[in-house]
């Protein structure tokens, strides 16, 4: 009997991870996240802290190991994928311990044990703890990894409407709260408490449906016509030298842009790494871009790189001596570069290698990152001259779209349009690009801006501030699109008060843990005195 229960518990934990994964692309069934949270609550209920941690960790490990399938495509090794999943899962394990602590604190209050109101407060507290640990996971260590944030999975549910009012924290909080209420409804039903089960179920349904009433963002004041191109990228197996491969990417984008007619667009967008050869230094690469800009008579926003050697710095910090920045630049119709944004949040282990000598002991894949990327320090905005006016564009590069602060700051700096240039070629035919597009969709709604994701290999497409998606491309195809998009000035609550939401999330989560710890310790001592 004990063995059967143990096996059922492990299966429940594994199924939790699979349900959480199913909420994201490629399956992208948002309500699966709610079911996963409900099952996690049931699986870890009435367990000791150590068991809760291990079951939470196992659920998280399976979730992230499935979600991060693209790391295998990028590195060709299983170790980075499994190691990343194992580290990220620690946060879900810690969350499960926090939930156990809250349940224990509630059990120490005699009046609260059977109270439906106290059960609801307990679920609110547990949701706050989840969001606090999820936010921490997105920030630490090495700048964090927000991939897998629950809010990004809710693009097709009514909960997306909450994004302008509380960013990923409010949407994630609501997902968890609904899941906990659903679990509680099932628990009450199993105990034949039909009234309490009905109340919990109705509350869960109400929290899921109510955001439909939240109004969508207002219409745009000005509009521009934008074109974007997605070119083919030679497969990694193709026997090409680095320069030949890089020039080929730029040439393919130029060819894809041939479908656009002069005078029909105001701005052309190319992706990150449109020219990995620095067009500020290389005449051949610059000539390709210049030809397209001159033919269409419009500015081009495109990604390029700057390279240099820094032997003194390499000797001090263990990084490689080769350095680079990842830039997104404004190339005018007159052939000049009028502005540049440098990516401020390079991806650890992907774009730079911290503690290279240490990690090389575990995998030679560290040297796939042969040139370390250096971060920029300025906001992710570019001022684009369009005739007699200037349009300010937010330009978080690639993974930066996952970080709340970068896009929120860009909007507060006056960005009227959101462009997410990305290079997904390293991730093969995995769901990485589709998962990133989910984030772009979330940002469009959260920030009240039309958002355009433009990729080297797809998915590229446009998302309106109400979450409607259009003008998408297939992956690994050479395509181009044009669309008229709105420019907006208003600032959402989530963008305006990002710092307040951020600090409040930590204060609420840590406050809940502190209060639960106090109740357990104080009432525990009182119980021992009465024994």
């Amino acid at each position: 009997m004990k063995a059967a229960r143990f096996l059922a518990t492990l299966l429940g934990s594994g199924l939790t991870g699979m349900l959480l994964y199913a909420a994201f692309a490629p399956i992208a069934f948002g309500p699966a996240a709610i079911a996963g949270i409900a099952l996690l609550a049931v699986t870890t209920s009435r367990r000791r802290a150590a068991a809760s941690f291990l079951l939470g960790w196992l659920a998280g490990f399976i979730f992230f190991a499935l979600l991060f399938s693209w790391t295998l495509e990028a590195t060709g090794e299983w170790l980075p994928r499994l190691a990343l999943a194992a580290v990220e899962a620690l946060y879900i394990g810690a969350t499960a311990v926090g939930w156990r602590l809250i349940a224990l604190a509630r059990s120490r209050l005699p009046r609260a044990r059977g109270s439906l109101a106290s059960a609801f407060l307990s679920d609110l507290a547990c949701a706050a703890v989840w969001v606090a640990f999820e936010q921490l996971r997105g920030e630490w260590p090495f700048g964090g990894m927000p991939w897998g944030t629950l809010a990004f999975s809710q693009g097709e549910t009514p909960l997306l409407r909450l994004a302008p009012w509380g960013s990923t924290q409010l949407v994630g909080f609501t997902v968890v709260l609904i899941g906990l209420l659903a679990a509680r409804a099932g628990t009450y039903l199993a105990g034949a408490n039909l009234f309490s089960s009905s109340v919990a179920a109705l509350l869960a349904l109400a929290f899921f449906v109510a955001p439909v009433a939240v109004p969508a963002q207002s219409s745009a004041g000005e509009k521009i016509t934008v074109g974007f191109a997605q070119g083919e990228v030679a497969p990694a197996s193709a026997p090409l030298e680095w320069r030949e491969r890089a020039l080929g990417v730029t040439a393919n984008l130029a060819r894809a842009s041939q479908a656009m007619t002069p005078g029909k667009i105001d701005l052309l967008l190319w992706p990150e790494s449109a020219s990995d050869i620095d067009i500020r230094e290389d005449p051949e690469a610059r000539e390709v871009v210049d030809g397209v800009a001159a033919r269409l008579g419009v500015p081009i926003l495109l990604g390029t790189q700057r390279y240099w050697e820094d032997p003194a710095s390499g000797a001090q910090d263990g990084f490689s001596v080769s350095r680079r920045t990842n830039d997104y630049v404004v190339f005018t119709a007159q052939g000049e570069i009028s502005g540049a944004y440098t990516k401020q949040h390079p991806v650890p282990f992907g774009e730079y290698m911290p503690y290279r000598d240490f990690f090389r002991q575990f995998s030679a894949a560290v040297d796939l990152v042969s040139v370390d990327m250096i971060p920029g320090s300025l906001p992710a905005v570019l001022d684009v001259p369009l005739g007699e006016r200037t349009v300010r564009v937010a330009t978080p590069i690639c993974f930066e779209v996952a970080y709340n602060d970068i896009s929120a700051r860009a909007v507060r700096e006056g960005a009227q349009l959101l462009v997410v240039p990305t290079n997904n070629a390293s991730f093969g035919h995995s769901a990485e690009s589709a998962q990133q597009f989910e984030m772009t969709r979330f940002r469009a709604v959260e920030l009240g801006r039309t958002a355009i994701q433009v990729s080297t290999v797809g998915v590229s497409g446009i998302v309106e501030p109400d979450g409607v998606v259009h003008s998408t491309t297939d992956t690994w195809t050479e395509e181009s699109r044009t669309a008229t998009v709105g420019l907006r000035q208003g600032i959402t609550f989530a963008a305006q008060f990002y710092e307040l939401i951020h600090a409040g999330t930590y204060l609420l989560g840590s406050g809940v843990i502190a209060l639960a710890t106090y109740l357990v310790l104080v009432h525990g001592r009182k119980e021992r005195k009465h024994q």
Side-chain angles (χ1 to χ4, degrees):
M1 181 64 74
K2 288 184 177 181
R5 288 180 180 175
F6 177 72
L7 181 60
T9 300
L10 290 181
L11 289 174
S13 187
L15 182 57
T16 294
M18 288 186 279
L19 284 169
L20 292 174
Y21 165 71
F24 295 84
I27 300 173
F29 182 63
I34 295 172
I37 292 295
L39 187 55
L40 179 64
V42 172
T43 302
T44 58
S45 176
R46 301 180 186 278
R47 305 284 176 182
R48 293 182 180 274
S52 294
F53 175 83
L54 290 174
L55 291 170
W57 180 87
L58 178 60
F61 177 76
I62 292 173
F63 167 40
F64 290 118
L66 292 170
L67 190 71
F68 297 151
S69 63
W70 39 266
T71 59
L72 180 60
E73 293 274 357
T75 66
E77 294 190 12
W78 278 93
L79 181 59
R81 177 180 180 177
L82 299 180
L84 181 59
V87 171
E88 298 298 294
L90 294 173
Y91 293 88
I92 295 184
T95 300
V97 174
W99 288 4
R100 177 59 189 150
L101 183 63
I102 292 167
L104 190 58
R106 180 171 174 247
S107 72
R108 296 293 172 87
L109 300 174
R111 293 183 180 180
R113 290 173 187 170
S115 166
L116 190 59
S118 72
F120 179 61
L121 289 174
S122 175
D123 291 342
L124 289 171
C126 288
V129 168
W130 175 284
V131 174
F133 274 113
E134 186 176 67
Q135 181 172 280
L136 180 63
R137 182 176 67 81
E139 297 179 347
W140 185 86
F142 304 117
M145 183 60 171
W147 218 273
T149 297
L150 289 186
F152 295 142
S153 69
Q154 299 303 301
E156 295 289 346
T157 77
L159 302 184
L160 183 62
R161 291 288 189 94
L162 299 176
W165 299 99
S167 190
T168 56
Q169 293 92 335
L170 179 59
V171 176
F173 179 93
T174 310
V175 170
V176 176
L177 179 60
I178 294 170
L180 294 172
L181 287 169
R184 201 167 290 282
T187 301
Y188 283 139
L189 184 62
N193 189 340
L194 296 181
F195 174 76
S196 296
S197 177
S198 299
V199 171
L202 288 173
L203 280 173
L205 181 62
F207 278 112
F208 185 76
V209 175
V212 172
V214 177
Q217 296 300 305
S218 60
S219 59
E222 294 184 80
K223 294 185 178 181
I224 61 172
T225 300
V226 173
F228 60 89
Q230 172 183 299
E232 291 181 303
V233 175
S237 58
L240 299 173
E241 295 293 332
W242 177 83
R243 180 178 177 84
E244 183 182 2
R245 182 183 296 275
L247 285 172
V249 171
T250 311
N252 290 344
L253 287 165
R255 185 174 62 208
S257 302
Q258 289 293 323
M260 299 177 197
T261 305
K264 297 296 184 181
I265 63 172
D266 301 302
L267 174 65
L268 176 60
L269 305 176
W270 282 4
E272 175 192 26
S273 298
S275 177
D276 272 345
I277 299 172
D278 190 356
I279 61 171
R280 293 159 293 199
E281 302 291 338
D282 190 279
E284 186 177 3
R286 188 182 185 115
E287 183 180 6
V288 176
V289 181
D290 192 27
V292 177
R295 184 183 75 83
L296 293 175
V298 300
I300 303 176
L301 302 189
L302 74 149
T304 191
Q305 313 270 333
R306 187 185 297 278
Y307 300 87
W308 72 96
E309 298 295 316
D310 190 4
S313 181
Q316 292 172 8
D317 60 20
F319 285 6
S320 65
V321 296
S322 298
R323 304 292 185 137
R324 65 178 171 129
T325 56
N326 188 351
D327 302 334
Y328 202 56
V329 304
V330 183
F331 193 95
T332 69
Q334 294 74 37
E336 299 178 351
I337 294 175
S338 65
Y341 163 66
T342 296
K343 187 175 186 178
Q344 57 190 291
H345 202 303
V347 179
F349 305 99
E351 293 174 323
Y352 75 96
M353 185 56 61
Y355 306 109
R356 182 180 295 270
D357 292 341
F358 172 76
F359 286 110
R360 189 183 288 112
Q361 299 177 65
F362 304 97
S363 174
V366 298
D367 291 320
L368 292 174
V369 184
S370 58
V371 182
D372 285 318
M373 187 179 294
I374 303 303
S377 58
L378 298 178
V381 295
L382 287 174
D383 290 324
V384 184
L386 300 180
E388 296 183 355
R389 61 177 172 171
T390 298
V391 173
R392 177 158 283 194
V393 180
T395 57
I397 297 175
C398 198
F399 275 41
E400 287 188 323
V401 73
Y403 295 90
N404 293 355
D405 59 325
I406 293 176
S407 296
R409 182 184 178 191
V411 167
R412 291 207 306 268
E413 293 281 341
Q416 302 162 275
L417 179 69
L418 176 64
V419 173
V420 183
T422 179
N423 175 19
N424 310 105
S426 297
F427 305 109
H429 293 275
S430 71
E432 186 271 345
S433 181
Q435 291 167 6
Q436 192 173 46
F437 194 73
E438 291 175 332
M439 302 175 197
T440 299
R441 186 179 193 180
F442 186 91
R443 295 298 177 212
V445 178
E446 174 201 11
L447 303 172
R449 297 291 186 271
T450 297
I452 306 172
Q453 178 167 304
V454 54
S455 170
T456 47
V457 296
V459 177
S460 302
I462 300 175
V463 188
E464 298 298 343
D466 59 0
V468 172
V469 175
H470 63 91
S471 305
T472 56
T473 64
D474 293 326
T475 56
W476 292 93
T477 56
E478 184 177 293
E479 299 188 54
S480 64
R481 296 282 189 275
T482 61
T484 299
V485 299
L487 305 177
R488 291 171 173 82
Q489 302 282 355
I491 301 179
T492 64
F493 184 91
Q496 184 68 54
F497 297 102
Y498 160 74
E499 288 86 359
L500 181 64
I501 295 169
H502 177 266
T505 297
Y506 280 137
L507 286 173
L508 185 58
S510 59
V512 165
I513 293 295
L515 178 59
T517 302
Y518 170 79
L519 291 174
V520 169
L521 294 177
V522 170
H523 285 269
R525 283 198 294 266
K526 288 182 179 179
E527 288 179 2
R528 285 193 294 271
K529 286 181 179 179
H530 290 298
Q531 289 176 353

